[in-house]
């Protein structure tokens, strides 16, 4: 009896051990044990040899890669929710299915967003550095290291999808007033639950908020959604928090406005030219004007394992000739 050949699955980065073990059991899995990012040519080579490619959000799967004459890929099972790293339209035109891992990282990302909403106005990182970096501290003082109260402030959420709503639930528990801008209003029952005020005009909302949270995906339509013009609408005593994608914000203008005292500060977990971080942002962080995190919004063991499990389900469903549960179509973007 002949043994059915397992499909070749190339994984671009190291994944949790339990996920890699399961992939080896189910597929002919080529694992990146060194966790070194693959070059464009290595990804192109993988596309010429593999049945399934499992990239991460930092791997760019361009039209050139999927349009290679000898591209063998049948499925791109993205390890991540956002698919801005993949030319979905080109893949779809070539007959390559694309999947992602939605609904897994909502709570983790919302936790990180809320942490930054608290950390920036209350100067938490700046205060902690006094003790960890050996700076002089004379003890408690009534006027030293004063931040701003969170309760009663207006939070403007850009993007009221799953993560935006999860942020709103946390923020409401801290006494923040919830406002949001979205392509369309959320269902009335959700708006009532969150006590949320909808703004059709992003410009008008930005000019009135104390804290702004970016929670929308990066798409061609949201690139520099917070443009230089819009950033200048924000109040001088307001803060910006971004745990979505760095490309949504005109980072250079944001830096200039914070440097000039035109925006109070920012909490950032993502950057426009990631993994490069603008040295000016680092200087602002050392001056206590911004809080910087190295893209940790989804970095929990539980979240990464659940992402891997979704990838496996998508691959197995596809190979069984069924529609994967997390299929991404160009019309959805």
């Amino acid at each position: 009896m002949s043994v059915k050949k397992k499909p070749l699955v190339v994984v671009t980065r190291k994944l949790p051990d339990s996920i890699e073990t399961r992939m080896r059991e189910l597929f002919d899995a080529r694992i990146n044990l060194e966790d070194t990012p693959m070059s464009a040519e290595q990804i192109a080579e993988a596309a010429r040899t593999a049945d399934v490619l499992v990239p991460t959000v930092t791997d760019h799967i361009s039209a050139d890669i999927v349009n290679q004459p000898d591209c063998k890929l049948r499925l791109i099972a993205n390890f991540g929710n956002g698919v801005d790293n993949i030319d979905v339209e080109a893949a779809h035109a070539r007959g390559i299915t694309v999947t992602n891992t939605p609904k897994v990282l909502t709570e983790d990302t919302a936790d990180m967003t809320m942490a930054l909403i608290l950390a920036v106005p209350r100067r938490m990182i700046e205060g902690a550095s006094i003790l960890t970096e050996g700076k002089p501290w004379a003890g408690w003082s009534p006027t030293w290291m004063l931040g701003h109260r969170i309760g009663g402030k207006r939070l403007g959420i850009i993007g009221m999808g799953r993560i935006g709503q999860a942020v709103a639930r946390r923020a409401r528990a801290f006494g923040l007033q919830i406002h949001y801008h979205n392509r369309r209003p959320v269902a009335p029952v959700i708006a009532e639950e969150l006590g949320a005020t909808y703004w059709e005009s992003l410009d008008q909302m930005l000019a009135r908020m104390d804290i702004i949270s970016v929670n929308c995906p990066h798409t061609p339509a949201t690139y520099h959604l917070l443009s230089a013009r819009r950033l200048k609408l924000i109040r001088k005593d307001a803060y910006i928090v971004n745990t979505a994608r760095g490309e949504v914000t005109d980072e250079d203008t944001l830096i200039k406005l914070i440097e000039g005292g035109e925006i109070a500060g920012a909490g950032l977990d993502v950057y426009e030219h990631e993994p490069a971080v603008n040295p000016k942002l680092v200087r602002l962080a050392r001056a206590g004007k911004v809080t910087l995190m190295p893209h940790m919004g989804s970095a929990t063991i539980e979240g990464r394992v659940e992402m891997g499990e979704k990838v496996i389900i998508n691959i197995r469903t596809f190979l069984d000739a069924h529609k994967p549960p997390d299929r991404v179509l160009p019309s959805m973007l």
Side-chain angles (χ1 to χ4, degrees), residues 16-90:
D17 288 347
S18 62
I19 298 302
E20 290 184 342
T21 300
R22 189 59 177 146
M23 282 189 170
R24 287 183 182 276
E25 292 170 348
L26 295 170
F27 319 119
D28 177 10
R30 294 185 184 174
I31 307 296
N32 185 350
L33 296 176
E34 300 301 321
D35 200 30
T36 302
M38 294 173 66
S39 66
E41 177 51 40
Q42 287 173 320
I43 292 176
E45 172 62 24
R48 293 192 293 267
T49 58
D51 300 292
V52 179
L53 181 67
V54 181
T56 67
V57 295
T58 61
D59 300 307
H60 185 52
I61 315 301
S62 65
D64 289 341
I65 289 175
V66 300
N67 285 329
Q68 297 176 96
D70 50 354
C71 177
K72 285 186 59 180
L73 288 180
R74 293 188 288 148
L75 171 66
I76 301 173
N78 201 44
F79 185 86
N81 182 33
V83 291
D84 49 298
N85 59 309
I86 302 169
D87 193 322
V88 177
E89 188 170 348

Side-chain angles (χ1 to χ4, degrees), residues 1-7 26 74 319-320:
M1 179 184 294
S2 62
V3 178
K4 185 177 180 181
K5 184 179 179 182
K6 291 182 178 180
L26 295 170
R74 293 188 288 148
L319 294 175
D320 287 340

Side-chain angles (χ1 to χ4, degrees), residues 194-223:
L194 301 175
T197 300
Y198 174 65
W199 293 81
E200 183 176 1
S201 168
L202 176 58
D203 289 8
Q204 290 184 15
M205 185 183 82
L206 290 174
R208 292 165 172 82
M209 297 298 107
D210 301 298
I211 303 170
I212 295 152
S213 178
V214 181
N215 297 108
C216 62
H218 172 224
T219 67
T222 62
Y223 175 76

Side-chain angles (χ1 to χ4, degrees), residues 38 40 85 93 101 112 160 184 195 217 235 237 286 330-331:
M38 294 173 66
N85 59 309
T101 59
M112 180 62 76
M160 200 62 153
R184 61 186 67 88
R235 292 165 36 185
D237 58 351
R286 288 172 177 158
S331 60

Side-chain angles (χ1 to χ4, degrees), residues 7 9 53 59 81 172 179 196 202 242 272 279 281 284 293 331:
V9 176
L53 181 67
D59 300 307
N81 182 33
R172 195 177 187 202
H179 297 251
L202 176 58
N242 188 356
E272 186 169 356
L281 278 175
L284 286 171
M293 301 298 293
S331 60

Side-chain angles (χ1 to χ4, degrees), residues 298-319:
S298 62
T300 67
I301 294 171
E302 296 86 351
R304 294 286 192 255
V305 169
E306 288 182 28
M307 288 171 69
E309 290 171 345
K310 270 188 171 285
V311 168
I312 291 172
I313 289 171
N314 283 320
I315 296 174
R316 294 192 70 182
T317 306
F318 175 82
L319 294 175

Side-chain angles (χ1 to χ4, degrees), residues 160 165 168-169 172 178 180 185-198:
M160 200 62 153
Q165 291 174 32
R169 291 187 180 94
R172 195 177 187 202
I178 309 302
Y180 73 99
V186 298
V189 65
I190 295 175
E192 183 177 356
E193 173 202 347
L194 301 175
T197 300
Y198 174 65

